[in-house]
Amino acid sequence: MSQRQLSLNAFIPSTGHHVAAWRHPDAQADGGHSFRHYAQIAQTAEAARFDAVFLADSAAVWGGSGEDGLTSLARSARAAHFEPITLLSALSAVTEHIGLIATVTTTYNEPYHLARKFASLDWLSNGRAGWNLVTSANQHEAQNFGLAQHVQHADRYDRAEEFIDVVKGLWDSWEDNAFLRDKQSGVFFDEHKLHTLHHRGKHFSVKGPLNVARPPQGYPVLVQAGSSEPGKELAARTAEVIFTAQQTLADAQAFYRDVKGRLAKYGRIPDTLKILPGIFPVVGRTEAEARDKFQALQDLIDPVVGLSLLSGMLGGFDLSGYPLDGPLPDLPASNGGKSRQALLIDKARRENLTIRQLYLSIAGARGHWQIVGSAVQIADQIQQWFESGAADGFNVMPPTLPGGLDDFTSLVVPILQERGLFRTEYRGNTLREHLGLQRPHNHHVPQSTAAAA
Amino acid sequence: MSQRQLSLNAFIPSTGHHVAAWRHPDAQADGGHSFRHYAQIAQTAEAARFDAVFLADSAAVWGGSGEDGLTSLARSARAAHFEPITLLSALSAVTEHIGLIATVTTTYNEPYHLARKFASLDWLSNGRAGWNLVTSANQHEAQNFGLAQHVQHADRYDRAEEFIDVVKGLWDSWEDNAFLRDKQSGVFFDEHKLHTLHHRGKHFSVKGPLNVARPPQGYPVLVQAGSSEPGKELAARTAEVIFTAQQTLADAQAFYRDVKGRLAKYGRIPDTLKILPGIFPVVGRTEAEARDKFQALQDLIDPVVGLSLLSGMLGGFDLSGYPLDGPLPDLPASNGGKSRQALLIDKARRENLTIRQLYLSIAGARGHWQIVGSAVQIADQIQQWFESGAADGFNVMPPTLPGGLDDFTSLVVPILQERGLFRTEYRGNTLREHLGLQRPHNHHVPQSTAAAA
């Protein structure tokens, strides 16, 4: 298996990615608070040899916007669920190989707490932790942390740049071989291998050192999801995996070239950053079966929920005053996630969609790449993107959970494996090893020493 | 088993409570980063029907003070280990009944994050979470969170009072029966049963609501450890369990009367707050065997470590310039934990101890009640405290882990069970049920409605 291999992560919001998934007859509607449900999902993904499970996050209820916000929220399943770091810590105890990626914002957290929890998760899981750095797209978070308004987009990225450097500095507090634990001499660690950070910057003053040993992976895998200009630049400097929303092969290829092309100026080679677009696969044994499955979900979308979802994805713009069957109005610039908003407006104009048609078009994939088809059709498309410079793998976003993941792992994965595109056994133990990423050296240790150790 | 029952928690610092535990021949010196080690400990405590395992915490390295700080730190096992919330989340997946209590400071955290993580842990464990609220005794924490100096004692308690009210308000965001998940009508939750906090106070502005359902226990069990005047008052108003350091029966009785006597003014009855002193039991099949075990540990104490431990417990006062075999000098007032410092100074004066004798006397129990004896002697003492108004149970602090816990569960617990003082089977599923604490009603729901529901 010397051929280049796909990476596959499972994106696992409680009842599935489709906005009406919880209403599906097979859905476990209470999945957001059921550990048994999540253990089953993680074990399914592990049995299929996925690289990781991946949890989105927001430090606030994802409220709808406008007058109907509460009503639409009450008709969707996203208001309440497990917190990701606690959930992944528990999942670490019932899995052995699969990576565990949690989203945490840098905008409303402290780097010491974050560095510590991810280091601890990496130790609990023997090297399977990943951190998806976001700067918060949910406008409601600010008010849970003492601010009247969401921090401006540019300021969020400025803080994120410093935040990640502090976190990496804290993870390097201890050299890998600092702990001697020599019972005879009484020396627990070599004091020359402990490094105090003494960081003083624009946003943070953090003395350190971290009170967790250097993580088994050196650093947990660094994931990012921003596709704005500062988001791409931060990723080019620091990320090892990018989770991105791309709807067409051409767009995905352009994004791939763009981001990989930015690496050289930071002294990085292209293979040190893996680009994984989201894919929303509705899998059937035939294309017709897949279309029926998809239509059954679309029929369950409450218009109030669809409209609110669209408003939210347009940066909180209130669409409730506009006719559902009229065109999308002109929108002001937003402080939310910029890239997603631009993609949506572009789509509405290009395809001449009404507001209703637009929300129906996104209610499944929510801005990600949607394929409704047979397992072979989906495998073909995945292979095409993978082999034509559009992706190093995918974040698989099952329409329903556990059913949509079962469909993908039982029908699509075997085809990818037969074609030699995806592993049939794990060849390593850590998330880094699954992704083909090197273990970073400790910046306090000269590289020649590190290599010799 | 209608008789009043002891509560027993296991205090589980990585290699044990004795400062030299890690050097013991049987010690698992890397226990602080070994999930297997912790899973074994938690399962041992569960098999013995303990109420909970209990993790201390500090959001910084517990550095020694003075010039020799690093040298002493390097000779102790406390510098690096798992973070408690991640560790307990993982332990929730390999246990079924035992409670999971994590210490988290209110001084360097945000209430929204804390409320969320403990609610999530309570769901993961099906109602077994407890939060030990502290205001930080470790002076080093401040500098990891942008402050030059530790927050003053009075300000810490002022913040803690508001913090706990915000957290309880967030836990009440959702009524217990808010989630309908009615697939037919499309209504996921009853919007009238969602309550937005809108808290605006001196220290915090938190809008809410929480994005986790109301915890299975209503609130995770609220534990506190402060024994200062503001600490006792905060506990009397809000705590359900107090973890306290008491060295003599008379002191413990006085503390017990004092705190229980403060409850009435907050409208509480004495049984709603359980007082659990720490106990450091060195258990032998005979008293002689216990004394040998203890001496073996004492012989492993490095003087540098002992002196630094003592300095830290005296609020960071640097003792390195004073002769080890001379008396304790007069100490200035400290900003650290006040109660522990006063107890220690009192002990040194009362027993006319040198600095060395003082650190040897605390290196095991560290200010807690120390008993070195046969299992029967220890059971007798526990029974005496329990039946004479000094304790509702104990936080058992094994000298070594796992060995010291094995000794206590295999030798002492059966005696307590034979005497009808401690359960032989769990009679409930939640930590509240183990402790005999009521599930708090949601303050948005009139009590009559709550009772009828």
Side-chain angles (χ1 to χ4, degrees):
Chain A
M1 199 167 68
S2 59
Q3 179 179 355
R4 176 170 165 254
Q5 294 284 297
L6 277 165
S7 288
L8 295 176
N9 295 333
F11 198 77
I12 52 171
S14 53
T15 53
H17 192 66
H18 191 282
V19 74
W22 74 269
R23 296 185 67 186
H24 190 278
D26 298 339
Q28 180 158 353
D30 68 350
H33 293 87
S34 166
F35 179 65
R36 189 185 301 253
H37 171 68
Y38 269 105
Q40 180 191 345
I41 291 169
Q43 288 165 352
T44 297
E46 183 166 81
R49 312 296 184 240
F50 270 48
D51 294 68
V53 292
F54 190 125
L55 286 167
D57 192 48
S58 169
V61 166
W62 273 104
S65 60
E67 284 296 308
D68 62 345
L70 182 56
T71 304
S72 64
L73 185 66
R75 304 177 82 81
S76 76
R78 61 189 173 154
H81 44 74
F82 288 122
E83 181 277 338
I85 291 181
T86 47
L87 174 56
L88 293 186
S89 297
L91 289 175
S92 76
V94 297
T95 53
E96 285 182 25
H97 286 91
I98 196 162
L100 307 163
I101 302 174
T103 298
V104 182
T105 179
T106 54
T107 304
Y108 303 110
N109 273 289
E110 290 286 336
Y112 197 91
H113 289 313
L114 185 140
R116 202 178 162 212
K117 289 195 168 64
F118 276 96
S120 191
L121 176 60
D122 209 43
W123 278 105
L124 286 169
S125 62
N126 293 314
R128 296 187 281 135
W131 168 34
N132 179 37
L133 181 162
V134 297
T135 68
S136 297
N138 184 344
Q139 313 264 345
H140 299 275
E141 291 186 10
Q143 295 176 72
N144 289 332
F145 299 96
L147 297 182
Q149 293 193 315
H150 196 28
V151 178
Q152 289 295 310
H153 191 269
D155 293 342
R156 299 206 302 271
Y157 274 92
D158 194 54
R159 178 180 167 107
E161 292 273 2
E162 185 178 337
F163 195 114
I164 195 166
D165 291 342
V166 173
V167 166
K168 288 162 83 170
L170 288 169
W171 284 333
D172 281 345
S173 295
W174 302 89
E175 295 183 24
D176 290 314
N177 56 359
F179 292 93
L180 308 173
R181 302 184 180 105
D182 181 351
K183 292 181 180 184
Q184 204 54 42
S185 69
V187 177
F188 195 79
F189 66 81
D190 178 347
E191 59 189 86
H192 302 293
K193 294 184 175 175
L194 167 61
H195 304 278
T196 302
L197 184 62
H198 294 294
H199 174 86
R200 287 184 180 276
K202 181 175 165 192
H203 298 277
F204 306 105
S205 291
V206 180
K207 184 176 175 193
L210 197 65
N211 58 357
V212 185
R214 192 162 193 260
Q217 294 185 102
Y219 308 152
V221 173
L222 296 168
V223 184
Q224 277 166 51
S227 296
S228 66
E229 216 24 59
K232 284 188 283 196
E233 214 52 35
L234 177 63
R237 184 172 77 84
T238 65
E240 300 173 293
V241 173
I242 291 190
F243 170 35
T244 179
Q246 303 296 332
Q247 298 185 7
T248 68
L249 177 61
D251 285 351
Q253 287 169 325
F255 181 86
Y256 191 96
R257 275 194 308 274
D258 176 5
V259 173
K260 296 255 180 177
R262 293 173 195 240
L263 296 180
K265 74 177 154 198
Y266 298 107
R268 303 179 64 187
I269 58 170
D271 204 38
T272 61
L273 173 60
K274 308 296 181 183
I275 298 183
L276 310 184
I279 178 174
F280 175 83
V282 185
V283 185
R285 279 161 300 185
T286 64
E287 182 178 336
E289 185 184 71
R291 296 209 172 280
D292 287 347
K293 278 189 188 177
F294 185 57
Q295 193 56 48
L297 282 168
Q298 294 288 87
D299 290 345
L300 292 171
I301 300 172
D302 190 313
V304 171
V305 174
L307 190 61
S308 170
L309 176 67
L310 180 57
S311 292
M313 291 181 68
L314 291 170
F317 186 83
D318 183 0
L319 287 164
S320 58
Y322 297 87
L324 282 186
D325 297 310
L328 192 68
D330 288 332
L331 299 176
S334 144
N335 183 30
K338 296 203 167 179
S339 44
R340 195 166 56 176
Q341 182 185 5
L343 279 172
L344 262 180
I345 295 171
D346 183 53
K347 179 186 175 74
R349 301 282 178 256
R350 198 173 61 230
E351 302 177 20
N352 198 26
L353 300 178
T354 65
I355 289 177
R356 188 196 305 273
Q357 287 168 328
L358 188 61
Y359 82 61
L360 279 171
S361 79
I362 58 159
R366 302 195 212 166
H368 287 275
W369 182 33
Q370 174 171 303
I371 319 184
V372 182
S374 69
V376 170
Q377 287 172 324
I378 291 174
D380 287 347
Q381 295 264 299
I382 285 175
Q383 183 167 3
Q384 185 190 16
W385 281 42
F386 181 58
E387 293 180 344
S388 62
D392 296 313
F394 295 90
N395 276 309
V396 179
M397 311 173 91
T400 59
L401 286 169
L405 181 63
D406 293 340
D407 288 346
F408 190 89
T409 56
S410 63
L411 297 173
V412 180
V413 167
I415 299 172
L416 299 172
Q417 289 171 328
E418 276 167 32
R419 295 181 186 178
L421 298 169
F422 190 61
R423 69 177 73 84
T424 54
E425 293 299 335
Y426 288 108
R427 291 189 297 169
N429 295 306
T430 69
L431 177 56
R432 279 187 183 281
E433 288 168 339
H434 305 337
L435 288 163
L437 294 167
Q438 288 210 308
R439 188 174 188 276
H441 75 98
N442 188 317
H443 73 277
H444 294 291
V445 181
Q447 292 232 39
S448 56
T449 311
Chain B
M1 198 168 69
S2 59
Q3 181 179 353
R4 176 170 165 254
Q5 294 285 296
L6 277 165
S7 288
L8 294 176
N9 295 334
F11 198 77
I12 52 172
S14 52
T15 53
H17 193 67
H18 192 282
V19 74
W22 75 269
R23 296 185 66 186
H24 191 276
D26 299 340
Q28 181 158 355
D30 67 350
H33 293 88
S34 166
F35 180 64
R36 191 185 301 252
H37 171 68
Y38 269 105
Q40 179 191 345
I41 291 169
Q43 288 164 352
T44 297
E46 182 166 81
R49 312 296 184 239
F50 270 49
D51 294 68
V53 292
F54 190 125
L55 286 167
D57 192 48
S58 169
V61 166
W62 274 105
S65 60
E67 284 296 306
D68 63 343
L70 183 56
T71 304
S72 65
L73 185 67
R75 303 177 83 80
S76 75
R78 60 189 175 154
H81 44 74
F82 288 122
E83 181 279 337
I85 292 182
T86 46
L87 174 55
L88 294 185
S89 297
L91 289 175
S92 76
V94 297
T95 53
E96 285 182 26
H97 286 91
I98 196 162
L100 306 162
I101 301 174
T103 299
V104 182
T105 179
T106 53
T107 303
Y108 304 110
N109 273 290
E110 290 285 336
Y112 197 91
H113 288 314
L114 185 140
R116 202 178 163 213
K117 290 196 169 65
F118 276 96
S120 191
L121 177 60
D122 209 43
W123 279 105
L124 286 169
S125 62
N126 294 314
R128 297 187 281 135
W131 168 33
N132 179 37
L133 181 162
V134 298
T135 68
S136 299
N138 184 344
Q139 313 263 346
H140 298 275
E141 292 187 8
Q143 295 176 71
N144 289 333
F145 300 95
L147 298 181
Q149 292 194 316
H150 197 29
V151 178
Q152 290 294 311
H153 191 269
D155 293 341
R156 299 206 302 270
Y157 274 92
D158 195 54
R159 179 181 166 107
E161 292 273 2
E162 185 178 336
F163 195 114
I164 195 166
D165 291 341
V166 173
V167 166
K168 289 162 83 169
L170 288 169
W171 284 332
D172 281 345
S173 295
W174 303 89
E175 296 183 23
D176 289 314
N177 57 359
F179 291 93
L180 307 173
R181 303 185 179 103
D182 181 352
K183 292 181 180 183
Q184 203 55 43
S185 69
V187 176
F188 195 79
F189 66 82
D190 178 348
E191 60 189 86
H192 302 293
K193 294 184 175 174
L194 168 61
H195 303 278
T196 303
L197 185 62
H198 293 295
H199 174 86
R200 286 184 180 278
K202 180 175 165 191
H203 298 277
F204 306 105
S205 291
V206 180
K207 185 176 175 192
L210 196 65
N211 57 358
V212 185
R214 192 162 193 261
Q217 294 184 102
Y219 308 152
V221 172
L222 296 168
V223 183
Q224 277 166 53
S227 296
S228 66
E229 210 33 52
K232 284 189 282 196
E233 212 53 35
L234 176 64
R237 184 171 76 84
T238 66
E240 300 172 293
V241 173
I242 291 188
F243 170 35
T244 180
Q246 304 295 334
Q247 297 185 8
T248 68
L249 178 60
D251 286 350
Q253 288 169 326
F255 181 85
Y256 191 97
R257 276 194 308 273
D258 176 4
V259 174
K260 296 255 181 179
R262 293 172 195 240
L263 296 179
K265 72 177 155 196
Y266 298 106
R268 302 179 64 186
I269 58 170
D271 204 39
T272 61
L273 173 61
K274 308 295 180 183
I275 297 182
L276 310 185
I279 178 175
F280 174 83
V282 185
V283 186
R285 278 160 301 185
T286 63
E287 183 178 337
E289 185 183 70
R291 297 212 170 278
D292 288 348
K293 279 188 189 178
F294 185 57
Q295 194 55 49
L297 282 168
Q298 294 288 86
D299 290 346
L300 293 171
I301 300 172
D302 190 314
V304 172
V305 174
L307 190 61
S308 172
L309 176 68
L310 179 58
S311 291
M313 292 182 68
L314 291 171
F317 185 82
D318 183 1
L319 287 165
S320 57
Y322 297 88
L324 282 185
D325 296 311
L328 193 67
D330 288 333
L331 299 176
S334 144
N335 183 29
K338 295 201 171 183
S339 43
R340 195 167 55 175
Q341 182 184 6
L343 279 170
L344 262 181
I345 295 171
D346 182 54
K347 178 186 176 74
R349 301 281 177 258
R350 197 174 61 231
E351 301 178 22
N352 198 25
L353 300 178
T354 66
I355 290 176
R356 189 197 304 274
Q357 288 167 329
L358 188 60
Y359 83 60
L360 279 172
S361 79
I362 58 160
R366 301 194 211 168
H368 288 276
W369 182 33
Q370 174 172 303
I371 319 183
V372 182
S374 70
V376 169
Q377 287 172 323
I378 290 174
D380 287 347
Q381 294 265 300
I382 285 175
Q383 181 167 6
Q384 185 190 14
W385 280 43
F386 180 57
E387 293 180 344
S388 63
D392 296 312
F394 295 90
N395 276 311
V396 179
M397 310 172 91
T400 59
L401 286 169
L405 181 63
D406 293 339
D407 288 346
F408 190 89
T409 56
S410 63
L411 297 174
V412 181
V413 167
I415 299 172
L416 299 172
Q417 289 172 328
E418 276 166 32
R419 295 180 187 179
L421 297 169
F422 190 61
R423 68 176 75 83
T424 53
E425 294 297 335
Y426 288 108
R427 290 190 298 170
N429 296 306
T430 70
L431 177 55
R432 278 188 183 280
E433 288 168 340
H434 305 337
L435 288 162
L437 294 168
Q438 287 210 308
R439 187 175 188 278
H441 73 97
N442 188 318
H443 73 277
H444 294 291
V445 182
Q447 292 230 38
S448 56
T449 310

